[in-house]
């Protein structure tokens, strides 16, 4: 097995900001409620005409540049998303064409906010086994298109964005050390979109009932999230032969500052080892972890040899964690 890890990271977010003050004018909420319950101050919203593949391609382009690699070196593209441009074809195929990546295997993967870690796991196995030379892993979501802007319990939480990584061979002992993925489909209805799939196709009635938008049992998801953030982190650390004391940087899914805080307390990880940008982007679903990773790198918070843990949870219900040792031979040296 070849040592395999991240060679470059990039991200892209829409320019338009939606602040808590803006939301106060749209639904019965307040900056005070949103800030204290979620930690979110603003989020980015894609303009009409901007779709998942646009953000995905921009993030992937930056990741390739940071890795100093050309599109022709990529032979696998995995896009984690629940808001692809179309039901089919996959957004991965649109990115393949947009970036001129010749003949790469390309597919989308749906695991909600855990999607990026799921896709990283797939790419890691594919490259380390020798089946692929290098992979592009993209987490992208345009949740604003599936958000009910009349539902104050969900519309304050979400934002749009993309993050991407190039996965390829690294020095021995570096790169991804372990992953851990899981699911519990008995919680499917805790976080889902009732209509628009094969169980309940869109009809005038489902549209009137606003069933094309996200439905969530916030409290149940909150409790689940705190539990699996701790459990998944401990399991991936065990698989990697590490303890939480070894972790230089913890990159959690950015859903709610209280979830991050509760998980960090349970794990004994202090704030200066945690990446937080939920205040500026809200929950960007599959984009959240690579977006946070990309910003941490650009801010100089990661150096060669650092141990990093990424952990996410999301619709499914799903969870996933990855532990890695940063090679550091990419553009951020
Ligand atoms: N503004 C003002 N009041 C609100 C708002 C709002 N935006 N939203 C809800 N409230 C009210 C509720 O109606 C409720 O009022 P009531 O007591 O009169 O009934 C009260 O605030 C408390 O509501 P709770 O739901 O108990 O609030 P809670 O503290 O649990 O916070 C939240 C809600 C933020 C949604 C929290 O449960 C949470 O973060 N859950 C996890 C969500 C999550 O991470 N989802 C993403 C998963 S990843 C993916 O795959 C997309």
């Amino acid at each position: 097995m070849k040592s395999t890890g991240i060679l470059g990271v990039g991200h892209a977010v829409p320019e338009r900001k939606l602040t808590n003050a803006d939301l106060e004018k749209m639904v019965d909420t307040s900056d005070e409620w949103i800030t204290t319950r979620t930690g979110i101050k603003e989020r980015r919203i894609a303009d009409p005409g901007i779709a998942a593949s646009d953000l995905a391609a921009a993030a992937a382009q930056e990741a390739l540049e940071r890795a100093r690699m050309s599109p022709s070196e990529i032979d696998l593209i995995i896009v984690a998303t629940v808001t692809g441009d179309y039901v089919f074809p996959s957004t991965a195929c649109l990115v393949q064409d947009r970036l001129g990546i010749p003949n790469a295997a390309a597919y989308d993967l749906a695991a909600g906010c855990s999607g990026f870690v799921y896709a990283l796991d797939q790419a890691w196995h594919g490259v380390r086994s020798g089946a692929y030379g290098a992979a592009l892993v993209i987490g992208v979501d345009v949740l604003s298109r599936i958000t009910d802007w009349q539902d104050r319990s969900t519309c304050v939480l979400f934002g749009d964005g993309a993050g991407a990584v190039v996965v390829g061979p690294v020095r021995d002992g570096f790169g991804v050390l372990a992953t851990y993925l899981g699911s519990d489909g008995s919680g499917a209805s805790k976080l889902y979109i009732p209509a628009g799939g094969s169980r309940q196709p869109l009809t005038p009635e489902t549209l009137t009932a606003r069933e094309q938008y996200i439905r969530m049992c916030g409290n149940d998801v909150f409790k689940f999230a705190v539990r699996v953030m701790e459990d998944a982190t401990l399991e991936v650390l065990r698989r990697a032969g590490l303890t939480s004391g070894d972790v230089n940087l913890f990159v959690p899914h950015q859903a709610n500052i209280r979830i991050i805080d509760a998980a960090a307390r349970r794990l004994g990880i202090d704030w200066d080892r945690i990446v937080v940008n939920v205040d500026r982007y809200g929950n960007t679903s599959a984009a959240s972890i690579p977006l946070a990773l990309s910003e941490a790198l650009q801010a100089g918070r990661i150096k060669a040899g650092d141990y990093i843990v990424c952990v996410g949870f999301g619709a499914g219900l799903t969870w996933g964690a990855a532990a890695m040792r940063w090679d550091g031979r990419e553009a951020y040296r």
Side-chain angles (χ1 to χ4, degrees), residues 3-314:
S3 290
T4 298
I6 292 176
L7 303 178
V9 190
H11 69 272
V13 291
E15 278 179 26
R16 183 152 64 97
K17 292 178 183 174
L18 185 73
T19 65
N20 292 349
D22 297 328
L23 282 162
E24 285 175 349
K25 295 175 203 140
M26 296 163 62
V27 288
D28 180 15
T29 191
S30 66
D31 174 46
E32 199 265 334
W33 193 95
I34 301 170
T35 304
T36 54
R37 299 294 181 114
T38 72
I40 301 167
K41 299 298 282 184
E42 61 185 35
R43 62 291 286 149
R44 301 299 181 95
I45 304 294
D47 284 334
I50 298 292
S53 67
D54 302 308
L55 296 173
Q61 185 74 49
E62 186 178 55
L64 281 168
E65 284 164 14
R66 300 274 184 185
R68 301 192 186 107
M69 287 173 68
S70 71
S72 61
E73 293 174 86
I74 300 294
D75 49 14
L76 172 66
I77 306 166
I78 310 175
V79 174
T81 188
V82 294
T83 51
D85 291 30
Y86 306 107
V87 173
F88 68 88
S90 70
T91 298
C93 285
L94 305 178
V95 171
Q96 178 272 331
D97 180 53
R98 182 82 67 87
L99 297 186
I101 299 173
N103 301 323
Y107 62 93
D108 289 0
L109 180 158
C113 304
S114 310
F116 173 78
V117 180
Y118 266 66
L120 180 64
D121 167 87
Q122 299 290 288
W124 176 52
H125 285 297
V127 174
R128 76 197 286 249
S129 70
Y132 298 98
L136 201 46
V137 173
I138 306 168
V140 60
D141 268 307
V142 188
L143 291 184
S144 62
R145 301 277 153 74
I146 55 169
T147 296
D148 185 345
W149 292 102
Q150 295 178 11
D151 176 8
R152 69 174 183 173
S153 71
T154 53
C155 76
V156 301
L157 303 174
F158 303 122
D160 302 334
V165 300
V166 177
V167 174
V170 295
R171 286 178 284 167
D172 281 348
F174 290 82
V176 177
L177 304 174
T179 58
Y180 168 54
L181 309 179
S183 69
D184 176 7
S186 71
S189 63
K190 301 287 183 196
L191 178 54
Y192 79 129
I193 295 183
S198 58
R199 182 157 301 282
Q200 189 162 226
L202 290 179
T203 61
E205 291 73 29
T206 63
L207 290 172
T208 302
R210 307 182 73 75
E211 290 180 341
Q212 71 275 35
Y213 296 126
I214 297 172
R215 297 272 174 92
M216 182 174 72
C217 303
N219 274 317
D220 292 344
V221 175
F222 191 100
K223 286 180 218 143
F224 157 78
V226 173
R227 178 171 52 80
V228 298
M229 293 272 269
E230 180 190 16
D231 292 351
T233 301
L234 291 176
E235 177 58 20
V236 84
L237 286 173
R238 191 190 65 75
R239 292 182 183 194
L242 301 170
T243 68
S244 57
D246 297 317
V247 178
N248 299 98
L249 205 64
F250 185 58
V251 188
H253 172 46
Q254 308 284 313
N256 184 321
I257 195 74
R258 288 159 52 217
I259 293 174
I260 296 173
D261 183 50
R265 280 170 197 267
R266 287 170 174 226
L267 290 162
I269 298 179
D270 42 283
W271 275 106
D272 57 359
R273 290 190 287 152
I274 304 172
V275 183
V276 174
N277 64 11
V278 68
D279 52 327
R280 289 178 291 118
Y281 299 118
N283 179 351
T284 57
S285 187
S288 144
I289 290 174
L291 173 55
L293 188 66
S294 183
E295 287 202 333
L297 269 166
Q298 292 185 5
R301 291 185 67 184
I302 299 175
K303 57 185 188 312
D306 278 357
Y307 289 105
I308 298 171
V309 168
C310 301
V311 58
F313 61 90

